[in-house]
Amino acid sequence: NRNDPVQNVDAGTRYLKDLLDMFDHNLGLAVAAYNAGEGAVMKYNYSIPPYPETQNYVRQVLARYNEPM
C-alpha cells in the first residue's frame, strides 16, 4: 500500500537494494534506475541516461549521500 508510510519506505528500500544488486553496487546507476527505470540505464549502455531530470536527481542524491553527518 503506497499510502502507508511504513510499507512505502520498506518497498522503496527493497527496490533500491535490488537495483544495487542489479548494477553491481554502483550507487549512481542504481539511483538513476530508481528515477528513470532500469531499462533506461540498460538502454544507455549501463550509464546514467541523458535525461536532465535523471541527471539532476542523481547529482542531488549523491551530494546528500556524501554530506558529512
Side-chain angles (χ1 to χ4, degrees):
N1 176 0
R2 73 165 83 175
N3 294 318
D4 179 323
V6 173
Q7 289 181 7
N8 189 302
V9 170
D10 183 59
T13 55
R14 288 175 189 264
Y15 182 49
L16 184 57
K17 181 197 178 302
D18 290 344
L19 292 172
L20 284 165
D21 289 343
M22 182 181 295
F23 295 108
D24 199 29
H25 297 273
N26 181 314
L27 185 57
L29 294 183
V31 170
Y34 191 90
N35 179 261
E38 56 263 23
V41 172
M42 290 181 223
K43 176 181 176 181
Y44 289 98
N45 297 314
Y46 292 82
S47 65
I48 297 170
Y51 313 144
E53 176 188 334
T54 299
Q55 292 181 353
N56 188 45
Y57 181 78
V58 171
R59 266 193 302 275
Q60 289 180 347
V61 169
L62 293 183
R64 290 212 166 106
Y65 179 77
N66 291 316
E67 282 182 358
M69 298 259 182

